[in-house]
DNA sequence: TGATGTCTCAACCATCGCCGGGAGACCGGG
DNA sequence: CCCGGTCTCCCGGCGATGGTTGAGACATCA
């Protein structure tokens, strides 16, 4: 064999998923699962200790820092492993955040095992691996202008979903009511709506807000 | 052994999860995984063929009928197996729909394996098994009066999430604008909010609307 | 040094939400 | 039987709120 075995660490808060990936991956001759972690802190410790080639990262890790933030921390380590995101959702925001955090690939949990194996091997070689649905979604978005809402506007959206009025938001954010209205107008144009209700709906749909 | 082996069928659209549950469950001496299915149609066929004692059912099955509807169909078979829902979310509406469909238990995927095994054995004996977080949520809801919104009000909510104004809704529904406002007021009191935006947010959260 | 983007603000008018009302349908108890 | 309770659906007017327009200050970046 010219190739070394590829060392893999699993990060996922679901024991069932960890067991599944381990069972599938360990059955491959050239892939070894050398560690598991259920949260961000343990993930960093396990990676530090086992020095894997690839980290399979879930994005939702229950309590504490999420998978995107954990990816960033892992990639900040000296001679870091590649990170392959393995998650349930392929939302615009999720993908972009993960890629921005330094992920080398993005795969969905409903992918067939063969695709998972190919993705792990490709990621270990430094390739960028995207699930087909993720790739097409990215291309689709690349065509239409990116609707990126600013941090302040996200703040507004959060209060909006709580049913606050403009006056209340203004008090909460320590600005004038006119400012709040201005932010709202910008949000409307960015999201392609013209009402508070529509803004909340599409913000939730695009995962800018989480229910 | 006084006990027969408990025969289990897995229904989940994620190969990884199926592999995980299979690996964990098969390692138990008294539990046998006798079949798997990734969608509703195959689930019914596999159950018909293997006659299991317990079906582990995911609620989101990708295309086609969901887990709740599939549970209903399985329970409608002659001398049906028990159904144990194993899913990611513990939303009010999800739990109620599953229980209404005939599920005997509701477990979350982040549950430790031991809890899963206990749940399977309990379900096979006909017990009702609820995850702690699910149970507490149900009790909490049982205390507060059920906020049941009428079909007409759901219609209003749908249009509301699209960002329509009262006048537009009135035209759409062939009623006066005043009527729309009245419906909205009722929706507000039922949902415990006092704005359109808040209504949309909590409607989505309570799964009255789907994103 | 423009160009771009974010955050801030004020005034004008349409719109929304609350407060009253009322009509028809269903159901269990007197 | 009919009666009161409950539910859904319907309406109008009034005051508060929301959305638009237009504009300035401040950063970053090519």
């Amino acid at each position: 064999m010219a190739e070394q075995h590829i060392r893999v660490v699993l990060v996922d808060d679901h024991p069932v998923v960890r067991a599944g990936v381990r069972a599938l991956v360990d059955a491959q001759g050239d892939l070894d699962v050398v560690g598991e972690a259920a949260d961000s802190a343990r993930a960093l410790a396990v990676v530090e200790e086992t020095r894997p080639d690839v980290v399979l990262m879930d994005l939702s890790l229950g309590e504490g820092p999420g998978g995107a933030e954990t990816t960033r921390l892992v990639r900040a380590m000296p001679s870091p492993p590649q990170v392959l995101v393995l998650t349930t959702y392929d939302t615009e925001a999720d993908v972009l955040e993960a890629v921005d955090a330094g992920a080398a690939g993005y795969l969905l949990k409903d992918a067939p095992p063969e695709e998972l194996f190919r993705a792990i091997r490709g990621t270990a070689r430094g390739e960028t691996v995207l699930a087909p649905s993720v790739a097409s979604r990215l291309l689709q978005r690349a065509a239409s202008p990116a609707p990126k809402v600013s941090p302040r506007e996200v703040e507004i959206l959060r209060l909006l979903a709580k049913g606050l009025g403009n006056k209340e938001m203004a008090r909460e954010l320590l600005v004038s009511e006119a400012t709040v209205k201005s932010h709202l107008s910008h949000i409307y144009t960015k999201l392609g709506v013209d009402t508070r209700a529509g803004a909340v709906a599409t913000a939730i749909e695009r995962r800018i807000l989480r229910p």
Side-chain angles (χ1 to χ4, degrees), chain A:
Chain A
M1 274 303 222
E3 298 275 346
Q4 283 281 84
H5 280 206
I6 298 175
R7 299 163 55 82
V8 178
V9 160
L10 314 179
V11 183
D12 198 307
D13 59 333
H14 293 180
V16 165
V17 174
R18 291 202 305 275
V21 176
R22 181 183 276 272
L24 293 173
V25 169
D26 267 347
Q28 298 291 302
D30 59 333
L31 306 178
D32 286 338
V33 175
V34 298
E36 295 184 7
D39 57 48
S40 183
R42 296 191 183 202
L44 295 176
V46 169
V47 168
E48 177 75 39
E49 185 187 339
T50 63
R51 313 298 308 171
D53 302 296
V54 176
V55 176
L56 286 187
M57 179 77 66
D58 186 21
L59 285 186
S60 61
L61 295 181
E63 302 301 309
E69 182 58 23
T70 306
T71 297
R72 205 180 305 273
L73 295 173
V74 166
R75 295 292 300 171
M77 297 170 62
S79 64
Q82 300 293 332
V83 174
L84 173 59
V85 170
L86 179 65
T87 186
T88 306
Y89 301 108
D90 59 346
T91 312
E92 174 74 3
D94 289 336
V95 176
L96 288 183
E97 194 181 1
V99 170
D100 181 64
Y106 199 105
L107 216 59
L108 298 179
K109 282 184 182 170
D110 58 2
E114 287 75 20
E115 195 170 339
L116 173 61
F117 304 146
R118 273 190 285 117
I120 293 176
R121 297 191 183 104
T123 303
R125 286 192 298 268
E127 301 172 6
T128 295
V129 180
L130 292 183
S133 72
V134 174
S136 69
R137 192 175 289 255
L138 277 186
L139 290 182
Q140 175 188 353
R141 286 299 179 185
S144 69
K148 51 200 165 190
V149 348
S150 80
R152 194 63 162 179
E153 290 164 347
V154 173
E155 195 74 7
I156 296 271
L157 279 171
R158 233 198 49 224
L159 299 177
L160 191 59
K162 286 189 176 179
L164 296 191
N166 292 340
K167 204 168 292 181
E168 299 169 291
M169 295 191 208
R171 252 192 282 105
E172 190 82 15
L173 300 178
L174 302 173
V175 297
S176 127
E177 187 185 345
T179 303
V180 172
K181 292 183 182 180
S182 174
H183 283 302
L184 278 174
S185 281
H186 292 153
I187 291 174
Y188 295 155
T189 61
K190 286 182 181 178
L191 296 186
V193 299
D194 59 351
T195 23
R196 310 162 86 74
V200 169
T202 69
I204 292 178
E205 187 201 350
R206 298 199 189 174
R207 302 280 174 132
I208 299 170
L209 293 178
R210 18 208 148 182

